[in-house]
Amino acid sequence: MTAGIYMDYAATTFTASEVVEAMRPYFSESFENPSSLYSRSDRNRKALAEGRRQVAGVIGASPEEIFFTASGSEADNWALKGAAFSPRRKGRHIVTTSVEHKAILETAHFLERNGFNVTYLPVDKKGLVRLDEVKAALRDDTILLSVMFANNEVGAVQPVAELGRLCRERGILFHTDAVQAATHVPIDVASMKIDLLSMAAHKFYGPKGVGALYIRKGVVLENLIHGGGQEKGRRAGTENVPLIVGMGKAAELAMAEMESERKRLSTLRDRLIERLRRAVPYVRLNGPEGERRLPNNVNMSFVGVEGETLLLDLDLAGISASTGSACASASLDPSHVLMAMGLSHEEAHGSVRLTLGKTSTEAEVDSVVAALTEIVARRRAMSPLWEDFLKERSKGA
Ligand SMILES: *Cc1c(COP(=O)(O)O)cnc(C)c1O
């Protein structure tokens, strides 16, 4: 890997070398189409079945309930559009939240343009939905509730089991975008009463370009990709055997390490948060603390400075971080997640997301704290926003 400190594991991970090795034979040596009838495809068919079993293991599903896709975004699109256009659909109303990933929000906007009604639930200051507000939003014509398992910007872990129970009682489909959560926190689709769940391999040291949608047995969804009869006739396209093998291998490796990594990363996370709080005046942690936060996520606002400026300075210091979601960073709008949590424009603009992973160490955390302390102080010293902030504070005091 290139030198420097990578703290953007929520954007993507490297592919583990064991995963690359497991994939290798399926590019050329075992290239056959798994749908072909001859015996030389047997190895590929077996590899596909094994991948499905390994991915099912992440969430306690049966292998028959796992359908491979080309990304987490595709799984999200399929869940929403598939439920909306399902032959079993009884209504035209969908409920989701204002802090979802764009793959959900943009799909919801598409459905709105096509005659569906969507309710976007607010979140509290920590980024969590409130059960009473969810309850109040569900109607007789609601077909689907989609709430992400854990937020990609602030790491907030939603009360998924409670949401599942609520939906099951009311006969409403429950989808959760678990792209950030899968293999990082325990997930059990049966006890959490989840009907549909999205995953992506590249968020847990698997390859990019492969994901999965869990569809609970008996749930009827319209297809998103029409064509051949692959994936039991539910998702057309020749199976991407190498990437599916990679996703399966990555799932198995990550699950074997989940408990130890969860402890190690949450300790590093809390060290990063505590040290930044001590070193930098007026910092604010965005999102929940402790168990309700993903073990690898830190998101801080530094008033008086622009997040983008901090990122560029961090980059010069060899540190790769993000202002929030990688997908939104091309636009200069403040994060929709931070705005939904009630932050001011200023606070939302001054935010930085640091996400930890396999290569993260205490030494890296301490280097990042030192670099950020220096950068924030230097940028504040030349910031009119910071001067205004200090003036306002002294007036208030
Ligand atoms: C990364 C991510 C996605 C998109 O997954 P892709 O495989 O990149 O399409 C969707 N939802 C969340 C929460 C994510 O973090």
Side-chain angles (χ1 to χ4, degrees), residues 10 71-73 76 101 103 148 150 152 177 179-180 200 202-203:
S71 61
S73 297
D76 283 347
H101 189 274
M148 68 205 316
N152 46 303
D177 172 347
V179 175
Q180 281 299 326
H202 74 104
K203 302 286 172 79

Side-chain angles (χ1 to χ4, degrees), residues 304-305 346 379-391:
V305 279
E346 246 246 84
R379 287 292 171 181
R380 277 177 173 170
M382 45 184 164
S383 159
L385 285 172
W386 176 244
E387 248 174 66
D388 293 347
F389 172 80
L390 290 181
K391 262 185 225 144

